[in-house]
């Protein structure tokens, strides 16, 4: 079968399309004929070797973290899905394998695809959708009347985050360039600041929570837009001790390293009287089924920017790496 194989860490040519043996489903796993797979910044960060501390893969490895397709076979003891079911999934942490004609995934991470979506749209949901859900519902605990600031609302995660924050009842302030304004307004953002023309820190105040999708300078300035007692959750900055323990299930050594690395950010958070949390999302079939229900109920729609044929996955990577995608970038394996 065709697969995007990572053979070494590096630039775009470190991963290439190759013919590799088809995987076999192990106990509790299903074999999925992949129809489409979503791209995410984690893919090029992995390729570049930037995440080795968090996730080390024995090379060569088939890349790709989320997929939509049809169940082809079941491993021993896998009973939740039948051959022919249309499913989608965020692959297990430390596994990957979605950029291929076939992939195996634990049935616990799989959910039935929303019937109204085609494969390309469904493939863009799992990673970004679950990330936004877990950050807003579980970490920021948004509810009716909460005020949340989401810098970077027009990208893969942001387009889910705006809709989910609205569904939770929050008032949403976001940033977008003129290229993304109409999109974030359509998704329900209450206040949109053009970050290319205005300083958001001059306009935003008293937020209960911030969901930071940008990191760097944007994150540093976001501490100042919150009320005391609020929480800032980042997915784009520096991990902290809870990331090691809660998200990665790792021990004291990594927690201590993250404690040191995040020292400055946590000190800044303390100065502003807010909490700092770096979330590394968790794959979950049950939570993905919840997102599918929201999609079927008309509360959530994936925004797909571009769909590339699988043979053009290098161009899909280049487009995502430009940092300008509006919604999700997807590759299609089957016509
Ligand atoms: N920790 C986790 O579990 C986790 C999970 C998912 C994602 N992430 C991380 O979260 C980040 C966002 O992911 P993504 O998939 O949403 O990325 P993405 O789709 O590539 O985001 C691109 C969007 O960001 C906008 N943008 C770029 N710079 C901006 C700025 N300074 N202010 C406001 N908007 C800006 C761009 O619009 P314009 O150019 O038009 O402004 C574009 O629409 C990445 O760093 C990714 O690695 C982490």
């Amino acid at each position: 079968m065709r697969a995007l194989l990572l053979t070494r860490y590096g630039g775009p040519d470190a991963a290439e399309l190759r013919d590799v043996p088809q995987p076999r489903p192990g106990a509790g796993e299903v074999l999925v004929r992949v129809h489409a797979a979503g791209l995410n910044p984690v893919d090029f960060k992995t390729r570049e070797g930037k995440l080795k501390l968090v996730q080390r893969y024995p090379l060569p490895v088939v890349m790709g973290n989320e997929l939509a397709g049809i169940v082809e076979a079941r491993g021993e003891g896998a009973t939740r899905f039948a051959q022919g079911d249309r499913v989608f999934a965020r692959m297990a942490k430390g596994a990957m394998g979605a950029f291929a004609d076939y992939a195996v995934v634990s049935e616990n991470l799989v959910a039935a695809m929303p019937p109204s979506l085609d494969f390309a749209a469904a493939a863009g949901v799992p990673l970004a959708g679950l990330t936004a859900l877990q950050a807003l519902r579980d970490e920021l605990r948004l509810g009716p009347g909460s005020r949340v600031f989401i810098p970077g609302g027009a990208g893969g995660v942001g387009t889910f985050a705006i809709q989910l924050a609205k569904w939770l009842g929050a008032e949403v302030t976001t940033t977008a360039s003129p290229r993304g304004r109409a999109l974030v307004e359509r998704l329900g953002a209450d206040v949109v600041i053009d970050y290319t023309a205005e300083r958001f820190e001059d306009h935003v105040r008293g937020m209960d929570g911030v969901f930071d999708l940008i990191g760097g300078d944007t994150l540093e300035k976001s501490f100042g837009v919150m009320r005391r007692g609020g929480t800032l959750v980042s997915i784009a900055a520096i991990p902290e001790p809870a990331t090691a323990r809660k998200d990665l299930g790792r021990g004291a050594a990594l927690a201590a390293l993250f404690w040191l690395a995040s020292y400055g950010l946590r000190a800044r958070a303390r100065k502003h009287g807010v909490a700092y949390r770096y979330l590394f999302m968790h794959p979950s079939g049950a939570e993905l089924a919840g997102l599918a229900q929201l999609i079927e109920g008309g509360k959530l729609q994936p925004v797909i920017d571009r769909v590339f044929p699988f043979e053009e996955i290098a161009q899909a990577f280049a487009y995502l790496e430009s940092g300008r995608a509006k919604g999700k970038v997807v590759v299609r394996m089957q016509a």
Side-chain angles (χ1 to χ4, degrees):
M1 65 167 193
R2 299 170 304 167
L4 185 74
L5 204 64
L6 183 69
T7 52
R8 61 186 168 82
Y9 291 107
D13 57 357
E16 54 188 78
L17 278 179
R18 294 253 189 100
D19 273 327
V20 303
Q22 193 176 307
R24 287 162 177 269
E29 291 180 334
V30 290
L31 174 71
V32 178
R33 178 158 200 216
V34 184
H35 280 244
L39 276 73
N40 294 278
V42 70
D43 297 319
F44 60 78
K45 292 178 186 176
T46 299
R47 187 198 69 211
E48 289 164 347
K50 288 189 175 152
L51 302 177
K52 274 194 258 181
L53 195 63
V54 172
Q55 210 85 81
R56 188 172 277 276
Y57 296 96
L59 301 181
V61 64
V62 178
M63 299 186 71
N65 284 290
E66 60 182 349
L67 57 75
I70 296 181
V71 174
E72 179 90 2
R74 304 188 294 190
E76 198 190 326
T79 53
R80 295 179 49 209
F81 298 93
Q83 192 183 15
D85 282 357
R86 292 156 70 97
V87 296
F88 62 160
R90 159 43 160 135
M91 311 299 279
K93 283 182 189 171
M96 299 201 292
F99 295 148
D101 288 322
Y102 293 89
V104 291
V105 55
S106 161
E107 65 168 358
N108 294 331
L109 306 184
V110 175
M113 247 175 71
S116 65
L117 294 189
D118 62 19
F119 289 109
V125 174
L127 195 150
L130 289 174
T131 304
L133 180 71
Q134 291 164 7
L136 301 171
R137 182 196 60 188
D138 306 339
E139 300 293 335
L140 290 177
R141 297 172 188 270
L142 296 186
S146 306
R147 300 178 70 211
V148 65
F149 177 49
I150 306 175
V157 177
T159 47
F160 284 101
I162 291 169
Q163 298 178 76
L164 289 171
K166 292 306 298 176
W167 168 68
L168 288 164
E171 183 191 299
V172 176
T173 300
T174 192
T175 57
S177 74
R179 299 178 294 273
R181 175 179 282 275
L183 172 62
V184 299
E185 282 176 350
R186 176 169 70 75
L187 297 176
D190 298 288
V191 179
V192 182
I193 297 168
D194 174 2
Y195 76 93
T196 65
E198 290 179 286
R199 290 156 38 104
F200 69 80
E201 63 273 26
D202 292 342
H203 302 280
V204 187
R205 286 282 173 275
M207 293 287 136
D208 300 303
V210 171
F211 182 27
D212 166 50
L213 315 178
I214 304 295
D217 206 32
T218 299
L219 165 67
E220 301 269 344
K221 289 175 177 157
S222 295
F223 286 118
V225 311
M226 303 175 70
R227 67 160 172 81
R228 293 186 84 76
T231 300
L232 187 153
V233 174
S234 179
I235 57 166
I238 298 173
E240 37 78 36
T243 318
R245 289 193 299 264
K246 199 171 158 188
D247 304 339
L248 299 169
R250 300 272 284 274
L254 193 65
L257 199 65
F258 287 171
W259 183 88
L260 256 182
S262 62
Y263 188 85
L265 277 182
R266 288 183 296 105
R268 184 174 271 252
R270 266 198 308 280
K271 199 177 116 206
H272 287 275
V274 303
Y276 172 71
R277 166 91 167 97
Y278 180 92
L279 171 72
F280 193 62
M281 61 82 62
H282 314 274
S284 161
E287 292 191 11
L288 194 52
L291 290 180
Q293 268 182 7
L294 288 181
I295 291 168
E296 283 313 289
K299 306 280 184 224
L300 183 67
Q301 58 169 147
V303 176
I304 306 299
D305 181 343
R306 290 184 67 177
V307 182
F308 292 81
F310 191 29
E311 307 79 57
E312 292 176 19
I313 192 166
Q315 287 91 316
F317 262 84
Y319 181 59
L320 183 74
E321 289 187 60
S322 75
R324 303 278 85 91
K326 299 288 165 286
K328 294 283 305 183
V329 180
V330 168
V331 287
R332 189 186 274 128
M333 282 68 178
Q334 313 293 331

